Amino acid sequence: MNGRKTGSNAMWGGRFAEGPTAVMRAINASLPFDKRLWQQDIAASKAHVAMLGAQGILSAEDASIIMGGLGEVAAEFASGALPEDPALEDIHMATEARLAELVGPVAGRLHTARSRNDQVATDFRLWVRDAVDAVDAGLKTFQSVLIDRAAAHADDVMPGFTHLQSAQPITLGHHLMAWFEMIARDRSRFADARRRMNRSPLGSAALAGTGFVIDRDATAKALGFDGPTANSLDSVSDRDFALDYLSASATCAIHLSRMAEEIVIWASQPFSFVTLPDQWSTGSSIMPQKRNPDAAELVRGHAGRILGANIALMVTMKGLPLAYSKDMQDDKEPVFEAYDLLELSIAAMAGMTAALTFRTDRMRALAESGFATATDLADWLVREADVPFREAHHITGRAVKAAEERGCGLADLPLDVLTAIDLRIDARVFEVLTVDASVASRTSHGGTAPVKVREAIAAARAALEEDA
């Protein structure tokens, strides 16, 4: 770039004739990371100059020249041909400086009726909105994978756990649809955040609005916003949209981490519920038998960093008076990092889930081995023998103890052993003591019965198709 002053900063004006020191330039600069906003910066600048032309604030000729120049700058950004200049603070200065080199002094008219404060607030909001859309698309793909895997395993029995102890038998399809519901709530949080953020700060200027007769509705519409923000002071200092995004990302990361943790546990030899293909695991440098679930472990690890990004921005914002403060330059890196990590984590979870081989034989064996149908015995006593549940609970406990002493399951206890525990038990009880009978009986709304799982899958598939 030629013709640029290095002894003073033309963007700051004549008051700063000596220019910033090297340390000041380094701490003040954000171009190394906010260059990611170049598409949003170009889009917002084009909307702004089009509005200035339509309002007669700029001549049609000047507006046309600037618009063409912005197109050239965008092409250079896209091709990577525009080098970073350390003398320029941020993406906004980089765009304007290159525009001036391409079209001359008329480039200075672009900044009429706007400030870098409303400019960055608009650009960043546009970027976060795009990030929400990208994350939502990834989550939707993951949901499709979960639906397909759940449909294939709607009948396969596995242990359901509480406290990581075998509790009641469920179906694998039911478990996978639980993951689906977690992701559905994540998508709803991102959708809520998007609705709130979809107001345009452009035209708020530095903090007080502008005396030029601008049309904020026009720029908002051009950029796909629902309308302009209501208060100029709040507009330039608001980063709730970034906090909303990070909060939704943090909750989503927690969900992904919980799922990844289950994959780690299921892939371990004591469980052996799943086999990870080579593409989603690594070996050991000294133990040739190892197949490590590194991708799942990294998803679990990324969650901590995403939560940290959320906390970082909250702490940055919690003490700032109105309106803009330079602290807010630190708003972007946590969001960028969280986005990169979350996007990668979602893709990894979708890929792993699609590729897992479920050891349904092993799942069934463990479901049958842990007295998982004890609750079914208690429920049978309540339903068929009119026993109060608390009493039925105690009777069932004695039956479990008897099975433990004989080294067998509840379904394998002889009838005379059961009747010795309580005379109200009869042969019909064996109809509910198998794991298949247990899961089939759970037909309440949201239950694990295969018929209910298939209903949930059908409803979920229909919702995704409607969403498309």
Side-chain angles (χ1 to χ4, degrees), residues 62-370:
D62 285 351
S64 178
I65 291 171
I66 293 171
M67 192 72 77
L70 288 170
E72 291 184 58
V73 175
E76 291 183 356
F77 274 126
S79 68
L82 192 62
E84 290 182 30
D85 185 341
L88 299 171
E89 290 179 28
D90 53 35
I91 185 60
H92 320 296
M93 284 188 171
T95 299
E96 189 172 335
R98 182 56 180 155
L99 181 66
E101 292 176 351
L102 292 171
V103 304
V106 70
R109 298 187 184 278
L110 171 61
H111 211 52
T112 305
R114 77 174 184 185
S115 161
R116 273 195 298 171
N117 291 355
D118 65 333
Q119 188 179 0
V120 68
T122 303
D123 293 356
F124 193 26
R125 197 175 287 233
L126 287 169
W127 191 94
V128 173
R129 190 180 70 183
D130 290 342
V132 167
D133 292 343
V135 166
D136 183 71
L139 290 174
K140 186 177 179 182
T141 297
F142 186 23
Q143 285 184 306
S144 294
V145 170
L146 290 169
I147 287 174
D148 290 341
R149 299 308 312 264
H153 295 285
D155 294 288
D156 290 319
V157 175
M158 67 173 289
F161 298 97
T162 61
H163 308 277
L164 206 55
Q165 304 293 311
S166 183
Q168 292 178 289
I170 61 171
T171 61
L172 176 55
H174 191 58
H175 194 115
L176 293 172
M177 289 305 292
W179 288 6
F180 178 94
E181 292 299 326
M182 294 160 75
I183 297 303
R185 292 194 300 276
D186 290 324
R187 291 188 66 198
S188 73
R189 272 182 282 270
F190 282 112
D192 289 343
R194 194 189 196 283
R195 280 190 289 271
R196 277 190 297 276
M197 72 177 64
N198 207 36
R199 292 280 168 178
S200 173
L202 191 58
S204 298
L207 76 162
T210 178
F212 290 95
V213 184
I214 62 173
D215 186 349
R216 293 190 63 205
D217 287 295
T219 51
K221 183 178 180 180
L223 294 170
F225 288 112
D226 294 330
T229 51
N231 182 285
S232 61
L233 190 65
D234 175 62
S235 299
V236 298
S237 59
D238 167 41
R239 292 298 183 272
D240 286 2
F241 63 92
L243 291 169
D244 281 351
Y245 172 78
L246 287 175
S247 177
S249 296
T251 303
C252 182
I254 290 170
H255 288 158
L256 296 176
S257 181
R258 294 180 67 187
M259 298 172 200
E261 170 70 3
E262 290 196 312
I263 290 176
V264 171
I265 292 171
W266 290 359
S268 67
Q269 282 82 0
F271 274 77
S272 297
F273 282 4
V274 299
T275 300
L276 278 168
D278 292 344
Q279 299 92 321
W280 292 102
S281 54
T282 64
S284 166
S285 61
I286 64 170
M287 294 171 284
Q289 83 280 9
K290 294 289 292 298
R291 185 189 293 270
N292 299 324
D294 284 6
E297 291 172 353
L298 287 167
V299 169
R300 192 174 58 185
H302 288 349
R305 294 169 64 187
I306 294 170
L307 268 65
N310 186 30
I311 294 295
L313 186 54
M314 287 195 290
V315 173
T316 295
M317 295 301 299
K318 60 96 180 166
L320 299 186
L322 295 176
Y324 181 83
S325 297
K326 195 67 171 182
D327 313 49
M328 292 164 68
Q329 182 169 286
D330 283 341
D331 57 0
K332 297 168 199 65
E333 288 183 285
V335 174
F336 293 161
E337 180 185 28
Y339 170 75
D340 291 341
L341 292 171
L342 186 62
E343 186 180 45
L344 189 58
S345 295
I346 293 167
M349 285 302 301
M352 278 188 290
T353 304
L356 287 174
T357 298
F358 291 106
R359 293 280 310 280
T360 54
D361 56 337
R362 173 68 176 165
M363 291 180 175
R364 169 176 282 274
L366 287 189
E368 292 174 337
S369 68

